[in-house]
């Protein structure tokens, strides 16, 4: 026994322990396979997080550099006097808006009297154009023949029938002429037939957007006139049309007479601001020059640096010397700011003297605008004119302080460079005057679109999820669920096409239906609108909200349903009193995540929202949704490729991205919070 | 459990159970199971030839090894098995209060209002204590505050929970302890005043003290309700029930007074089971 135990009897055998517990398999630096697999997965997870952090840092760095640059831009804006000029420009702008609204109202009223005739005449033009389109091929051939005939006639004139050698040519041409004449007669008949066939088609009577149909009793005559004028041998107006034109003209003349006061008021309005306008354009060009000086100054440093860098990089000594000389030439010299601003201080009294009478005069003139008008357009435009008048008065009042207190030296506060971005009402880029980066237009655009999308998608998606999850028979479930989830797989560009071509057009046509005119925003003039984008985004958000809501419902323990049913509750009572209330925070989270999906969507809004950078006009109430707009995502996608890296515009776009990022973060965070509450149940 | 109640509710010395001998229904009979077969999936009967009668005011215990079909039979009594699309009674009839409950003319919802059920896993709704108890009345369309208040108080008192929760009726039912939650579920069930209360292992997820409380509760409740309880706990069966039915592999082996089943069963299988030699 002692022979087989080499280490002795009474000592515990160390080998025995290590044989049992020792780690087996692949080992490297004390780490086993398990550890490596763990590190691999852990590494991937941390890599994702590191990339996320890098994105945040990079985005934040680029974006927040916006503010100092923006600050400098605002300073230039002030020092060049552009700010001052814009104060006066605002007064003129408000006045112009007021004037043009009133002007539209005037013409609506004047044209009212001859509306019937004008409708018929408009239809007449439209139908003629349509017929021409429909028969364009034959027309083209016909006209070619006519031209050819003319050419032959010219050639014949050039030839002398007395000359012997011309005889064969003349004979040939004569023959050709006869042939062409026959052809033309044939084409005439053909055209006539074609026109009389075409006039019976619906396409011929397509009148175009926004035109009113002519009164039905005029149709037979209109048809006759069109047929008459469309035939190829006729070159004059049909008497019916000529008569209509005369009547229309006479009526208009009478109306002009009738509204002479209105017209006079309008003219007076225009006259009264004329001196202010010329003052404005005078100082505007001064400010532009100042601005050019400042821009040159602000780029000078960059240019100098670029030359020096270039010199350092080149090996050729001559070239190097040249570049250094160039760098030397760039002067960085501050201009005389006081002298630059001098002209503006000088016009302050002049402006005060001008604006006071304008203000009082306009008050009188505005009162003179008629308050009883007959057409809807005139009525609406006068209402708008009232809004603009109030704005005008407000601008003038504010400017009293602004202009008196204006100083080119007043420092631009840091708050201003932030707030004028966050709450700025304009987004104007690539302008020769002054670029403005205000978030509000694109922010409201995004928000409105999202609200519409949510208002539409949430009821649809949530009720579909409730139905599919709780009420639908299995066979229906198996069909509906994949169908809805498939929407998610449709590329958004494709949806965008659909939105432009099918949806937008359909919406617009529907909006023109007579008995739907009570709907706010109808009839819609545009295809690409907030409504269109909102509806498409709703469509895209439905699968997200649907799937997540369904998950939330699935998470409700079956036992709860059973309990409710065992209490004698019906299936519907169970769904709406137990299941849905229990799942409600899950559903809210689903909606929030759907919102995140909507606000981050780019392609569809870029294609469908109309891309008009303007705060939607909320005076139209709900009708605001029929307007085009632009969005935060859309503007980044559209403009980023075209701007210089590092420019103010570029940074502004990054800042917009930052805002989007923040919104997504908040939405996701709240969704997670809500979900956590949900999971506690 | 007092002897007196047991004697009061004892039936004559008939021996229900087995497969064919069905005693005629007495005036006290509330549930009659008449030669029933049941299958979850076509062709595979999990209950075979079950016949039994359950009398008013008694507690009846279903015992038997796991998978023998106790829960299945219980859920047949308020048609909870309707939730499983393929499940159906393939033979026989179940009459409750004289009505064949699988007759097409029967309104399941109405049936379940009369035949309440308490589950093994207590599951209060994520609502307040008050709303949990009032749920059954609310879905019947009762809105009167006073009626609801009264019913909530009465049911919670019956369930022995009133004193513990009367000051926090508005707090969530999920905030209670397990035993309290189960009693809340019992209160919820009895608030609609069913004739029959079915309980499927109501104590198996609870601690001993809560179990005792609920067992006491059951013996008190039987004055008002006919109770059918499924249990794996033999002691519990002896403590709370008047009659006991022993199932084995989908068949009713024996049904008799609880005392008799546990002391002197007529079938050998029953004896093996209750004495712990099997199962
Ligand atoms: N939903 C179902 N679908 C198909 N078969 C089922 C279903 N529920 C139960 N079964 C089967 O029916 C038989 C009886 O089940 P049941 O639940 O009634 O048993 P049990 O006696 O209550 O058992 P336990 O004591 O474990 O609760 C079992 O064989 C089971 O597998
Ligand atoms: Mg069971």
């Amino acid at each position: 026994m002692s022979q087989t135990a080499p280490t002795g009897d009474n000592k515990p055998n160390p080998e025995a322990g290590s044989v049992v517990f020792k780690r087996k398999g692949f080992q490297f630096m004390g780490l086993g396979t398990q550890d490596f697999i763990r590190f691999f997965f852990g590494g991937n997870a941390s890599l994702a997080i590191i990339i996320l952090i890098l994105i945040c840092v990079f985005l934040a760095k680029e974006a927040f550099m916006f503010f100092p640059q923006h600050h400098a831009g605002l300073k230039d804006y002030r020092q060049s006097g552009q700010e001052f000029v814009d104060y006066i420009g605002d007064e003129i702008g408000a006045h112009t808006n007021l004037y043009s609204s009133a002007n539209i109202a005037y013409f609506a009223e004047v044209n009212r009297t001859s509306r019937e005739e004008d409708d018929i005449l408009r239809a007449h033009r439209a139908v003629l154009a349509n017929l021409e389109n429909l028969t364009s091929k034959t027309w083209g051939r016909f006209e070619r023949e006519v031209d050819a005939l003319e050419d032959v006639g010219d050639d014949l004139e050039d030839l002398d029938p007395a000359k012997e050698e011309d005889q064969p040519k003349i004979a040939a041409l004569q023959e050709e002429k006869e042939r062409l004449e026959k052809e033309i007669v044939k084409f005439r008949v053909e055209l006539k037939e074609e026109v009389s066939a075409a006039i019976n088609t619906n396409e011929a009577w397509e009148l175009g957007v926004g035109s009113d149909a002519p009164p039905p009793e005029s149709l037979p005559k209109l048809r006759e006139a069109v047929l008459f004028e469309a035939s190829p041998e006729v070159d004059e107006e049909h008497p019916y049309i000529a008569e209509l034109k005369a009547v229309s003209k006479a009526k208009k003349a009478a109306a002009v007479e009738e509204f002479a006061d209105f017209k006079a008021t309008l003219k007076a309005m225009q006259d009264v601001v004329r001196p202010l306008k010329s003052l404005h354009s005078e100082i505007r060009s001064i400010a532009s020059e100042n601005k050019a000086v400042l821009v040159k100054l602000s780029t000078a440093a960059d240019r100098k640096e670029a030359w020096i860098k270039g010199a350092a990089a080149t090996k050729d000594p001559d070239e190097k010397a040249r570049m250094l000389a160039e760098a030397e030439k760039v002067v960085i010299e501050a201009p005389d700011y006081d002298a630059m601003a001098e002209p503006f201080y000088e016009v302050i009294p002049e402006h005060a003297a001008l604006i006071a009478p304008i203000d009082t005069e306009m008050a009188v003139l505005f009162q003179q605008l008629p308050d009883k008008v007959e057409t809807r357009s005139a009525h609406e435009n006068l209402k708008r004119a009232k809004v603009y008048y109030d704005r005008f008065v407000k601008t003038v009042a504010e400017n009293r302080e602004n202009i008196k207190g204006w100083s080119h030296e007043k420092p631009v506060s840091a708050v201003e460079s932030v707030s004028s971005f966050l709450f700025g009402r304009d987004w104007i880029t690539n302008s020769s005057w002054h670029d403005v980066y205000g978030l509000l237009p694109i922010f409201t655009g995004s928000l409105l679109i999202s609200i519409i999308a949510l208002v539409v998608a949430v009821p649809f998606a949530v009720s579909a999820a409730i139905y599919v999850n709780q009420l639908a028979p299995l066979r229906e479930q198996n069909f509906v669920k994949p169908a809805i989830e498939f929407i998610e797989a449709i590329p958004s560009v494709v949806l965008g096409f659909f939105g432009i071509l099918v949806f937008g057009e359909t919406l617009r046509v529907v909006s023109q239906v007579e008995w739907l005119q009570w709907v706010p925003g109808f009839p819609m003039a545009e295809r690409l609108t907030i409504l269109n984008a909102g509806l498409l985004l709703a469509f895209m958000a439905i699968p997200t909200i649907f799937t997540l809501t369904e998950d939330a419902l699935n998470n409700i323990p079956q036992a709860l349903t059973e309990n409710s049913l065992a209490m004698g509750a019906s299936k519907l009572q169970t769904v709406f009193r137990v299941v849905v209330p229990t799942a409600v925070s899950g559903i809210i989270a689903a909606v929030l995540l759907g919102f995140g999906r909507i606000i981050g969507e780019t392609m569809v809004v870029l294609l469908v929202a109309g891309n008009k950078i303007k705060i939607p006009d909320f005076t139209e109430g709900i009708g605001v949704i029929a307007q085009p707009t632009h969005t935060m995502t859309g503007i980044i996608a559209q403009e980023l490729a075209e701007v210089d890296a590092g420019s103010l515009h570029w940074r502004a776009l990054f800042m917009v991205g930052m805002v989007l990022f923040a919104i997504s973060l908040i939405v996701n965070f709240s969704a997670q919070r809500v979900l956590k509450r949900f999971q506690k149940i | 459990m007092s002897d007196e109640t047991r004697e009061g509710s004892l039936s004559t010395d008939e021996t229900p159970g087995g497969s064919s001998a069905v005693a005629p229904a007495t005036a006290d009979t509330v549930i009659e199971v008449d030669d029933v077969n049941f299958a979850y999936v076509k062709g595979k009967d999990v209950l075979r030839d079950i016949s039994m009668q359950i009398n008013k005011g008694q507690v009846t215990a279903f015992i038997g090894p796991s998978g023998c079909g106790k829960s299945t039979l219980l859920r047949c009594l308020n048609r909870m098995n309707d939730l499983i699309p393929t499940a159906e009674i393939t033979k026989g009839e179940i009459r409750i209060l004289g009505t064949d409950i699988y007759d097409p003319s029967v309104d399941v919802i109405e049936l379940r209002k009369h035949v309440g059920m308490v589950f093994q896993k207590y599951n209060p709704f994520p609502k307040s204590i008050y709303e949990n108890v009032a749920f059954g009345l609310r879905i019947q369309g009762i809105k009167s505050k006073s009626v609801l208040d009264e019913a909530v108080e009465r049911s919670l008192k019956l369930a022995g929970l009133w004193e513990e929760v009367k000051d926090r009726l508005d707090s969530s039912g999920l905030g209670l302890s397990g035993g309290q939650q189960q009693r809340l579920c019992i209160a919820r069930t009895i608030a609609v005043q069913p004739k029959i209360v079915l309980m499927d292992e109501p104590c198996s997820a609870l601690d001993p003290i809560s179990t005792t409380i609920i067992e006491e509760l059951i013996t008190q409740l039987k004055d008002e309700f006919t109770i059918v309880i499924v249990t794996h706990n033999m002691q519990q069966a002896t403590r709370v029930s008047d009659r006991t039915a022993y199932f084995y592999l989908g068949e009713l082996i024996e049904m008799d007074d609880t005392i008799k089943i546990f002391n002197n069963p007529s079938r050998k299988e029953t004896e093996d089971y209750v004495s712990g030699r099997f199962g």
Side-chain angles (χ1 to χ4, degrees):
Chain A
M1 195 177 165
S2 58
Q3 283 164 338
T4 52
T7 46
D9 271 340
N10 41 5
K11 276 190 193 161
N13 186 351
E15 286 284 295
S18 57
V19 166
V20 177
F21 298 114
K22 206 171 148 195
R23 289 199 280 187
K24 295 196 195 81
F26 169 78
Q27 289 268 328
F28 180 72
M29 289 172 55
L31 299 170
T33 328
Q34 299 273 330
D35 296 304
F36 281 109
I37 292 174
R38 202 166 56 86
F39 281 136
F40 176 72
F41 283 101
N44 284 353
S46 15
L47 193 67
I49 289 175
I50 289 170
I51 290 175
L52 183 67
I53 292 173
L54 279 179
I55 289 174
C56 293
V57 169
F58 175 72
L59 203 67
K61 187 183 137 254
E62 290 299 331
F64 286 118
M65 283 293 286
F66 167 75
F67 291 115
Q69 225 167 323
H70 191 212
H71 186 262
L74 288 175
K75 210 166 123 196
D76 282 358
Y77 178 59
R78 178 161 291 165
Q79 281 173 337
S80 66
Q82 285 181 316
E83 183 187 33
F84 182 90
V85 175
D86 276 347
Y87 284 145
I88 298 175
D90 287 347
E91 290 169 352
I92 293 171
H95 178 277
T96 307
N97 283 337
L98 160 62
Y99 171 78
S100 48
S101 297
N103 207 28
I104 295 172
Y106 168 77
F107 279 107
E109 284 296 276
V110 168
N111 292 337
R112 185 200 83 223
T113 50
S114 58
R115 194 167 74 210
E116 201 166 284
E117 288 80 11
D118 290 344
D119 283 345
I120 303 174
L121 286 171
R122 208 177 302 121
H124 167 251
R125 276 196 302 275
V127 176
L128 265 185
N130 289 342
L131 284 182
E132 202 161 305
N133 272 337
L134 288 169
T135 57
S136 61
K137 268 200 196 135
T138 321
W139 259 114
R141 272 157 57 203
F142 173 69
E143 268 161 17
R144 271 199 299 280
E145 303 283 285
V146 171
D147 287 348
L149 183 61
E150 258 172 38
D151 290 347
V152 172
D154 290 349
D155 289 352
L156 269 178
E157 257 169 43
D158 290 346
L159 296 173
D160 188 353
K163 279 190 194 161
E164 187 66 31
E165 69 266 31
D166 282 353
Q167 284 309 329
K169 273 192 196 166
I170 290 178
L173 283 173
Q174 280 296 355
E175 206 172 296
E176 175 71 2
K177 193 175 161 192
E178 270 161 36
R179 191 187 66 79
L180 282 172
E181 271 165 356
K182 258 192 223 143
E183 280 280 278
I184 287 172
V185 170
K186 217 178 84 204
F187 268 125
R188 282 226 168 100
V189 176
E190 207 172 300
L191 255 180
K192 212 160 186 174
E193 271 166 16
E194 223 171 282
V195 165
S196 11
I199 202 164
N200 290 324
T201 60
N202 281 335
E203 286 103 319
W205 293 88
E206 199 76 53
L207 296 188
V209 183
S211 19
D212 292 317
E217 65 272 14
S218 70
L219 286 178
K221 286 210 110 171
L222 177 60
R223 199 187 150 95
E224 185 190 309
V226 168
L227 266 181
F228 174 77
E229 289 177 14
S231 64
E233 64 258 36
V234 178
D235 229 4
E236 78 234 43
E237 257 173 5
H238 191 268
Y240 177 58
I241 297 301
E243 184 200 322
L244 277 177
K245 279 190 177 161
V247 173
S248 163
K249 206 168 160 192
K251 282 190 175 171
K252 277 203 186 100
V256 167
E257 198 84 356
E258 187 188 337
F259 293 108
D261 288 348
F262 197 168
K263 179 87 202 167
T265 309
L266 286 174
K267 181 150 183 344
M269 279 188 174
Q270 216 177 0
D271 289 342
V272 78
V273 289
R274 206 154 273 152
L276 186 66
K277 276 188 177 165
S278 53
L279 173 73
H280 178 250
S281 70
E282 224 170 86
I283 56 174
R284 197 172 193 273
S285 47
I286 300 175
S288 281
E289 281 163 27
N290 289 347
K291 170 83 173 211
V293 172
L294 293 178
V295 168
K296 211 167 156 202
L297 172 71
S298 74
T299 53
D302 291 345
R303 267 182 300 139
K304 188 164 198 146
E305 205 181 293
W307 281 125
I308 293 174
K309 260 198 192 145
T314 44
K315 297 209 172 67
D316 180 5
D318 288 349
E319 187 73 351
K320 197 171 221 151
R322 194 184 66 78
M323 284 185 166
L324 283 175
E326 285 285 350
E328 215 40 48
K329 262 195 258 167
V330 178
V331 276
I332 306 177
E333 193 184 343
D336 184 351
Y337 292 110
D338 295 339
M340 266 169 40
E342 195 50 40
F344 304 110
Y345 291 111
E346 273 166 15
V347 301
I348 289 178
E350 195 180 329
H351 172 260
L354 278 177
I355 196 71
I358 294 178
D359 200 11
T360 47
E361 190 79 354
M362 280 304 292
V364 176
L365 288 172
F366 182 71
Q367 289 309 323
Q368 284 174 7
L369 288 178
D371 40 24
K372 275 244 156 38
V373 288
E374 299 208 4
T375 59
R376 191 171 136 188
S377 159
H379 182 74
E380 272 170 14
N381 276 291
L382 282 182
K383 227 166 64 186
R384 210 164 286 159
K386 168 89 181 99
V387 175
Y388 287 132
Y389 176 69
D390 291 344
R391 205 170 289 166
F392 172 75
V393 171
K394 201 170 138 235
T395 313
V396 169
E398 279 171 3
N399 271 356
R400 252 176 231 128
E401 290 308 307
N402 285 341
I403 290 183
K404 213 195 305 156
W406 183 76
S407 155
H408 71 287
E409 285 173 320
K410 201 167 108 203
V412 179
S413 72
V415 177
E416 213 174 316
S417 63
V418 176
S419 67
S420 67
F421 169 74
L422 287 180
F423 308 111
R425 303 177 59 86
D426 294 296
W427 179 279
I428 301 167
T429 57
N430 295 331
S431 95
S432 56
W433 176 246
H434 172 62
D435 285 358
V436 186
Y437 303 98
L439 188 65
L440 276 188
I442 47 180
F443 182 77
T444 38
S446 281
L447 201 67
L448 269 179
I449 289 179
S450 307
I451 288 173
I452 291 174
L454 277 187
V455 164
V456 176
V458 168
F460 261 105
V462 170
S463 40
I466 292 175
Y467 174 73
V468 167
N469 189 272
Q470 297 285 318
L471 304 170
L474 201 65
R475 262 197 305 158
E476 233 168 284
Q477 275 188 31
N478 288 343
F479 169 72
V480 176
K481 248 173 85 165
I484 292 185
E485 278 159 6
F486 171 72
I487 299 174
E488 191 119 55
I490 303 177
S492 48
V493 178
V494 177
L495 266 187
F497 273 149
F498 175 75
I500 295 174
L501 294 174
V502 186
F503 209 50
E505 193 52 38
T506 312
L507 259 182
R508 197 178 60 179
V509 170
V510 168
S511 81
Q512 252 124 34
V513 174
E514 197 74 48
W515 50 270
L516 280 177
Q517 293 313 308
W518 53 270
V519 179
F522 278 17
M524 305 198 319
E526 322 250 356
R527 278 189 314 187
L528 306 181
T529 57
I530 297 177
L531 180 63
N532 190 351
L535 290 177
L536 276 184
L537 282 190
F539 189 61
M540 297 187 66
I542 282 176
T544 308
I545 302 178
F546 172 85
T547 312
L548 292 169
T549 303
E550 235 239 298
D551 284 352
L553 292 172
N554 262 338
N555 278 339
I556 304 300
Q558 179 64 25
L560 268 186
T561 316
E562 276 198 358
N563 272 265
S564 167
L565 290 173
M567 296 287 303
S570 67
K571 186 72 204 175
L572 277 181
Q573 283 172 328
T574 304
V575 170
F576 289 106
R577 292 185 188 228
V578 178
V579 179
V580 172
T582 310
V584 79
S585 28
I587 295 174
I588 291 175
V591 171
L592 279 174
L593 292 172
F595 176 71
R597 170 106 171 80
I598 289 167
I599 200 135
E601 169 56 37
T602 310
M603 211 57 220
V604 162
V605 292
L606 194 60
L607 289 172
V608 178
N611 299 351
K612 183 171 180 193
I613 311 174
K614 184 175 165 250
I615 298 185
D617 182 3
F618 285 97
T619 55
E620 291 192 21
I622 303 209
V624 70
I625 60 177
Q627 298 169 12
T629 193
H630 215 315
T631 56
M632 295 194 281
T633 45
I635 211 151
I636 297 177
Q638 193 180 26
E639 296 184 349
L640 195 61
E642 298 164 6
V643 299
D644 296 337
S647 67
L648 181 58
H649 188 178
W650 194 70
R651 296 235 146 87
L653 293 175
F654 265 85
M655 211 38 230
V656 175
M658 204 63 201
V659 171
L660 267 174
F661 190 75
I663 292 175
S664 308
L665 212 66
I666 293 169
V667 168
N668 267 296
F669 183 70
S670 359
Q672 275 177 17
R673 286 289 293 270
V674 174
L675 263 183
K676 219 170 247 166
R677 259 193 50 200
F678 172 59
Q679 275 148 5
K680 273 190 205 138
I681 292 170
Chain B
M1 166 155 319
S2 66
D3 285 358
E4 178 184 294
T5 31
R6 184 177 298 135
E7 267 160 24
S9 53
L10 272 181
S11 7
T12 46
D13 51 356
E14 68 199 1
T15 324
S19 46
S20 45
V22 183
T26 66
D28 272 353
T29 308
V30 284
I31 303 175
E32 271 177 276
V33 182
D34 187 356
D35 200 18
V36 161
N37 277 24
F38 175 89
Y40 282 110
V41 202
K42 220 176 175 62
K44 281 198 206 163
D45 287 352
V46 293
L47 293 179
R48 277 182 306 279
D49 309 328
I50 308 282
S51 292
M52 62 162 66
Q53 290 174 355
I54 291 170
N55 287 348
K56 187 162 183 248
Q58 285 185 337
V59 178
T60 305
F62 288 180
I63 61 170
S66 189
C68 65
K70 309 178 294 288
S71 301
T72 304
L73 179 59
L74 198 72
R75 291 163 64 92
C76 283
L77 300 181
N78 68 345
R79 289 183 57 176
M80 283 307 277
N81 285 328
D82 287 12
L83 299 181
I84 299 158
T86 54
E88 61 172 344
I89 288 205
T90 50
K91 187 183 91 181
E93 214 173 87
I94 297 178
R95 284 182 295 276
I96 288 182
L97 300 166
T99 311
D100 173 8
I101 59 168
Y102 282 88
D103 192 84
S105 66
V106 166
D107 180 359
V108 187
I109 290 173
E110 217 38 55
L111 169 73
R112 289 182 190 150
K113 282 175 193 160
H114 287 100
V115 186
M117 188 158 195
V118 175
F119 295 81
Q120 170 181 11
K121 175 79 185 78
Y122 42 85
N123 244 315
F125 301 131
K127 298 172 185 283
S128 69
I129 293 172
Y130 183 97
E131 286 304 326
N132 259 289
V133 183
F135 180 82
L137 297 169
R138 282 211 195 273
I139 58 176
Q140 292 179 22
I142 294 168
K143 295 203 177 68
S144 153
K145 181 92 176 91
S146 59
V147 174
L148 291 175
D149 284 351
E150 194 270 331
V152 168
E153 183 173 341
R154 183 177 45 78
S155 315
L156 284 172
K157 276 182 174 156
L158 259 178
L161 198 57
W162 177 252
E163 288 305 318
E164 290 159 66
V165 300
K166 65 180 180 202
D167 300 325
R168 47 169 174 150
L169 290 176
D170 287 333
S171 58
S172 169
L174 299 169
L176 298 172
S177 78
Q180 286 174 324
Q181 288 192 25
Q182 188 61 298
R183 277 182 284 153
L184 179 61
C185 290
I186 293 173
R188 184 176 70 186
T189 306
I190 61 185
V192 290
Q193 296 187 292
K195 301 280 187 309
I196 300 162
V197 178
L198 309 174
M199 298 183 169
D200 195 349
E201 304 184 42
C203 302
S204 64
L206 302 180
D207 62 289
I209 296 179
S210 303
T211 303
T212 316
I213 296 175
I214 288 184
E215 283 176 5
E216 275 167 17
L217 178 59
I218 291 170
T219 52
Q220 282 159 22
L221 288 178
K222 75 174 175 191
D223 296 341
E224 281 192 47
F225 312 98
T226 303
I227 296 174
V228 182
I229 177 171
V230 171
T231 178
H232 273 285
N233 182 331
M234 304 294 164
Q235 279 72 42
Q236 185 169 67
T238 54
R239 283 195 297 265
V240 302
S241 70
D242 305 303
R243 313 244 313 152
T244 296
Y246 170 62
F247 293 83
Y248 181 63
L249 289 181
E251 286 177 30
L252 175 58
I253 304 299
E254 183 172 3
M255 178 169 180
D256 212 324
D257 291 349
T258 301
I259 291 190
K260 182 149 187 297
I261 291 279
F262 282 94
N263 296 326
N264 182 22
S266 20
R267 302 275 296 255
K268 172 88 168 49
E269 301 96 307
T270 317
E271 191 179 346
D272 285 350
Y273 183 73
V274 298
S275 59
R277 257 171 290 177
F278 167 84

